[in-house]
Amino acid sequence: MTADLETLLTALYVKIDDEIAGTRWMGRPPQLSDSELVCLAVAQALLGRHSEARRSAS
């Protein structure tokens, strides 16, 4: 990963976290926060990986 991409993803996470920060009151704490999940989804779309499916090189 390049420094520019890392910087972009960090800024994206901070912006998302500021916008959708909320308090969870019930249940077990999640392994990922909502902000982390949204940032990962956006990063995946930006990198052109629109599915989890692995493609073979054949």
Side-chain angles (χ1 to χ4, degrees):
M1 197 180 312
T2 66
D4 290 337
L5 182 57
E6 289 178 16
T7 303
L8 173 66
L9 293 176
T10 301
L12 178 65
Y13 171 77
V14 170
K15 177 66 175 167
I16 290 170
D17 194 50
D18 287 346
E19 293 295 324
I20 66 171
T23 305
R24 293 180 52 93
W25 294 100
M26 296 176 54
R28 197 168 72 163
Q31 291 183 345
L32 287 176
S33 70
D34 293 340
S35 301
E36 290 169 325
L37 187 59
V38 171
C39 187
L40 286 172
V42 171
Q44 184 177 0
L46 288 173
L47 293 172
R49 296 191 170 76
H50 299 288
S51 79
E52 297 274 331
R54 305 274 183 212
R55 296 191 178 111
S56 63
S58 49

